[in-house]
Amino acid sequence: MQNKNKKLKLLVPLVSVFLGLLIGGIIMLLSGYPPIEAYIALFQGIVGDSYVIGETIRQMSPLILSGLAVAFAFRTGLFNIGVEGQLLVGWLAAVYVGVTVDAPAVLHIPLAILAAAVAGALWGAIPGILKARFKVHEVITTIMMNYIALYSTNEIIRSFLLAPGERTENVKESASLASPFLQSITQYSTLHYGIIVALVAAVIMWFLLWRTTMGYELRAVGFNQHASQYAGINVSKNIILSMAISGAFAGIAGSMEGLGTYQYMTINAAFTGVGFDGIAVALLGANSAIGVVLGAALFGGLKIGALNMQSIAGVPTELVGVVIALIIFFVACSYIVHWLMNRVSKGGKI
Amino acid sequence: MSFMDILALIIPAAIVSAAPLIFTALGGVFSERSGVVNIGLEGLMLFGAFTGAVTIYYGEQLGLGDASPWVSFIVAMIVGAMLASIHALASITLKADQVVSGVALNFLAAGLAIFLTKKIFNAGQTPVISERISKSNIPFLSDIPIIGKLFFSNAYLTSYVAVGVAFIVWYVLYKTPFGLRLRSVGEHPMAADTMGINVTKVRYIGVLLSGALAGLGGAVYVASISGNFTHSTITGQGFMALAAMIFGKWHPLGALGAALFFGLAQAISISGSHIPFLQDIPKVFLLIAPYVLTILALAGLVGRADAPKALGTPYEKGKR
């Protein structure tokens, strides 16, 4: 039975992806686009040559981190919609350190990433404290904190860091994650070392949750607050801690944009969307570290591949958003399959 | 500028920006009071905005004139309910995680709306409509001194409809048998089932109503504020409506109050530069004020909000 469950765990996402693509194809057919040609273009746009592979991997790094952020809070029973805001303050903190501090790269890069993590953690801890202390619903506070982050970071850039073109200066070379080597082996894509940071973060999340007392407590609170309280776990502390760590991951996601992809921060007219995508990535990955990495690969790949699909088959890139939504629906509805399988394997007894 | 002028500037603007939020938040009340979390409000509102923009555009082409916004509201409600039925199917019948299903709905609506916009209009946005809901004075009421000028002059009719609907929702939820059933299903579905209430049916109605109202909210946004649909027309208003609903403690009139508060704060931040004692404050503080005030209000004044007891849990017959 253990084996059967494991098989099912793998099977469900695969079937969901297949069904999502199938219905996406039907939508294309109905609206007069060639589905097979489009999907070939989509596939080539993900793994067709080293350039698009580089782009896909680059797209993955912030998605992994924002997915980890959402997943980590979920494990403690908290819904962090505020990844977007935590990402923005992390982005700003990383760029600020990158622009103003002088240090050799071995110190400068970790310092900038650390700054992003701390900024994100503080931004995430505020809803955590409000939840623990005043029982304020974290969904509202994180949404509010998103807007506060958006307007405040813009104002700080405008007042202190403004360079021509509604943006900050580039970060110093010693703080940059850009890699001429990685770029040269991928036909000068925008690939940077951020993916290593993201993968390390995934390992850290797994380690924290499954190999430490702290992780045990966090998960216990997620399962049942009252039981945890009764067992002597400090629920308030764990809620704050969980939101802070979640925020730290989100902040580091921001540093990927600041130190890697863009090398600067723009004045954002609207949200980046990476934080909201993180919710989807976490859900696809069933809130596990390895799942988040795979979910980000799928999500990032589809987003990059969509560009090729649009230019070759003329299908609007948004179709990919529809396909992703369908995949999430199917993954979500698969729980009934799990339930059925469990029931059957127990011989009809509940 | 006198104090009255300031109020006359802010209050009508507040009511205008609150209307779409009121409709959508009321939709949220229906869904969540029946025990189904609806993060999908954002997507439903977005698709309502798309439907509204398209219907008004074609309504104008067909010569419906100034009736086309009103036609679009009905169409947007129907389409919203249809879209919400996916959420209902997934989260009620198939017992999917309601948050997951809602998030999927958001992605689906955003993707589909822009996809269809590009397909239909070959552009990233719909054409700007010419038949907006027009501003008007309410007869008789606008003649009342002071109050008439503040609340009943120069405002969109939809805003009053929104306030009216909030009271209707309150009446339905608290004074009718259906409302009692809806609330009981959200608090204790098993007890409701024992009393012969069809839990699944009532929850479906709750979710479909939320889709209709959120769709209406989106269409009203297009008809009164934005004038067309682009990828950036609805960015976060649905989440704001969700926040208004929680702020209002899952109560229709509470949601109405919270939405009006958000509208007021937004109006102050937009027209703050015209107001004498607010002129000197850096703009960023006015921009973030609504959100900071909401957090402070929740932490200090309103206190803890208890969600409906069965919120987020699918109902399984016979489960203990």
Side-chain angles (χ1 to χ4, degrees):
Chain A
M1 187 190 140
Q2 197 70 31
N3 229 345
K4 208 182 219 168
N5 266 349
K6 261 192 181 158
K7 238 193 236 166
L8 203 68
K9 240 183 186 168
L10 210 71
L11 198 68
V12 164
L14 287 177
V15 171
S16 303
V17 169
F18 174 76
L19 286 175
L21 289 171
L22 187 74
I23 297 187
I26 294 171
I27 294 175
M28 279 195 268
L29 211 58
L30 290 177
S31 43
Y33 296 110
I36 295 177
E37 198 187 332
Y39 278 141
I40 292 173
L42 178 73
F43 188 69
Q44 279 173 346
I46 303 172
V47 288
D49 56 43
S50 59
Y51 175 80
V52 289
I53 293 176
E55 287 292 304
T56 301
I57 297 175
R58 189 265 303 159
Q59 180 87 16
M60 274 171 68
S61 5
L63 283 176
I64 290 176
L65 284 156
S66 67
L68 290 175
V70 177
F72 198 91
F74 260 136
R75 286 283 182 188
T76 317
L78 299 165
F79 189 24
N80 184 2
I81 307 193
V83 171
E84 188 70 40
Q86 294 143 17
L87 181 146
L88 286 171
V89 295
W91 186 350
L92 182 70
V95 168
Y96 180 78
V97 171
V99 171
T100 55
V101 174
D102 268 311
V106 255
L107 284 177
H108 204 176
I109 293 175
L111 194 65
I113 294 177
L114 188 71
V118 170
L122 289 175
W123 210 257
I126 295 172
I129 293 167
L130 290 165
K131 167 99 179 178
R133 176 79 179 77
F134 300 104
K135 306 277 178 226
V136 184
H137 205 298
E138 79 277 8
V139 168
I140 313 189
T141 37
T142 49
I143 291 172
M144 300 296 143
M145 293 295 283
N146 281 345
Y147 286 95
I148 299 174
L150 178 67
Y151 295 124
S152 309
T153 51
N154 282 350
E155 185 60 27
I156 291 170
I157 296 173
R158 221 172 262 135
S159 311
F160 304 108
L161 295 164
L162 198 64
E166 295 280 282
R167 47 169 270 197
T168 66
E169 301 280 350
N170 274 1
V171 296
K172 297 208 170 96
E173 213 166 299
S174 54
S176 167
L177 284 169
S179 151
F181 165 69
L182 286 179
Q183 286 173 7
S184 69
I185 60 166
T186 56
Q187 299 173 36
Y188 300 96
S189 72
T190 51
L191 183 60
H192 54 78
Y193 285 128
I195 186 67
I196 299 170
V197 179
L199 291 175
V200 169
V203 174
I204 291 176
M205 157 160 166
W206 170 82
F207 186 81
L208 280 181
L209 275 180
W210 299 101
R211 290 289 178 272
T212 64
T213 319
M214 185 181 86
Y216 181 83
E217 289 194 359
L218 288 170
R219 285 184 291 121
V221 171
F223 276 122
N224 191 332
Q225 282 194 10
H226 303 293
S228 311
Q229 183 97 48
Y230 191 68
I233 295 173
N234 184 340
V235 173
S236 298
K237 190 194 87 181
N238 276 290
I239 288 174
I240 300 170
L241 192 64
S242 171
M243 283 303 290
I245 296 174
S246 169
F249 282 125
I252 299 174
S255 75
M256 295 295 104
E257 308 290 54
L259 307 176
T261 310
Y262 296 98
Q263 311 279 326
Y264 57 83
M265 184 166 179
T266 48
I267 292 177
N268 290 299
F271 292 121
T272 62
V274 178
F276 298 120
D277 291 348
I279 300 173
V281 169
L283 298 175
L284 277 179
N287 302 325
S288 73
I290 180 79
V292 164
V293 173
L294 294 175
L298 178 72
F299 209 112
L302 286 174
K303 281 204 150 179
I304 295 294
L307 302 172
N308 197 43
M309 183 177 76
Q310 181 164 25
S311 61
I312 292 195
V315 182
T317 51
E318 282 73 21
L319 182 84
V320 160
V322 176
V323 171
I324 288 170
L326 292 168
I327 294 173
I328 302 173
F329 266 124
F330 287 122
V331 170
C333 294
S334 72
Y335 293 125
I336 196 163
V337 181
H338 281 271
W339 179 79
L340 270 178
M341 293 290 279
N342 270 338
R343 202 176 161 136
V344 170
S345 62
K346 279 179 193 166
K349 279 178 283 181
I350 298 175
Chain B
M1 192 181 248
S2 74
F3 188 64
M4 269 306 287
D5 289 335
I6 294 169
L7 286 184
L9 187 73
I10 290 174
I11 289 180
I15 297 174
V16 169
S17 30
L21 289 182
I22 296 172
F23 284 121
T24 312
L26 290 173
V29 169
F30 268 124
S31 171
E32 304 226 336
R33 267 305 171 106
S34 76
V36 182
V37 178
N38 202 345
I39 304 282
L41 286 179
E42 170 85 4
L44 291 165
M45 196 178 177
L46 186 146
F47 211 80
F50 162 76
T51 312
V54 172
T55 319
I56 298 174
Y57 174 74
Y58 284 110
E60 286 168 359
Q61 304 282 309
L62 292 170
L64 288 178
D66 56 6
S68 40
W70 299 95
V71 174
S72 86
F73 294 160
I74 295 167
V75 177
M77 286 178 80
I78 295 169
V79 173
M82 279 163 57
L83 196 63
S85 68
I86 301 175
H87 181 49
L89 178 73
S91 59
I92 302 170
T93 308
L94 299 177
K95 302 189 186 348
D97 188 308
Q98 298 169 0
V99 173
V100 181
S101 163
V103 170
L105 192 67
N106 286 340
F107 277 94
L108 182 71
L112 210 55
I114 306 283
F115 178 81
L116 290 174
T117 305
K118 284 187 177 168
K119 175 72 198 162
I120 299 171
F121 299 103
N122 251 328
Q125 72 271 342
T126 64
V128 177
I129 56 172
S130 47
E131 292 292 351
R132 296 197 185 194
I133 293 284
S134 49
K135 288 186 181 183
S136 55
N137 297 343
I138 306 284
F140 307 119
L141 291 178
S142 58
D143 298 332
I144 303 172
I146 305 181
I147 300 175
K149 194 180 173 201
L150 292 182
F151 294 102
F152 299 108
S153 301
N154 212 10
Y156 298 105
L157 195 53
T158 45
S159 307
Y160 303 109
V161 176
V163 176
V165 169
F167 281 95
I168 293 172
V169 172
W170 168 79
Y171 183 82
V172 169
L173 274 184
Y174 288 93
K175 302 288 170 197
T176 66
F178 168 73
L180 182 64
R181 284 181 196 144
L182 189 98
R183 285 183 292 129
S184 67
V185 159
E187 290 293 331
H188 202 315
M190 193 154 75
D193 197 9
T194 317
M195 298 307 286
I197 297 169
N198 186 338
V199 175
T200 307
K201 190 175 121 192
V202 172
R203 286 194 168 175
Y204 260 89
I205 296 173
V207 174
L208 293 191
L209 281 174
S210 85
L213 284 169
L216 177 61
V220 167
Y221 188 84
V222 166
S224 59
I225 299 172
S226 73
N228 73 344
F229 175 78
T230 71
H231 71 277
S232 60
T233 300
I234 302 292
T235 47
Q237 288 95 327
F239 288 124
M240 287 298 283
L242 188 75
M245 178 200 67
I246 301 175
F247 196 173
K249 295 190 166 182
W250 288 271
H251 191 287
L253 301 184
L256 169 71
L260 283 172
F261 171 76
F262 288 155
L264 181 72
Q266 216 163 5
I268 291 177
S269 70
I270 292 168
S271 41
S273 53
H274 303 298
I275 300 167
F277 54 89
L278 291 178
Q279 267 167 357
D280 307 325
I281 301 174
K283 195 154 186 275
V284 61
F285 290 115
L286 293 178
L287 280 172
I288 65 172
Y291 312 109
V292 176
L293 286 174
T294 305
I295 292 178
L296 290 179
L298 281 168
L301 303 171
V302 189
R304 69 175 298 169
D306 278 318
K309 274 231 166 54
L311 188 63
T313 42
Y315 175 60
E316 288 172 39
K317 245 183 203 293
K319 192 189 172 190
R320 273 189 269 182

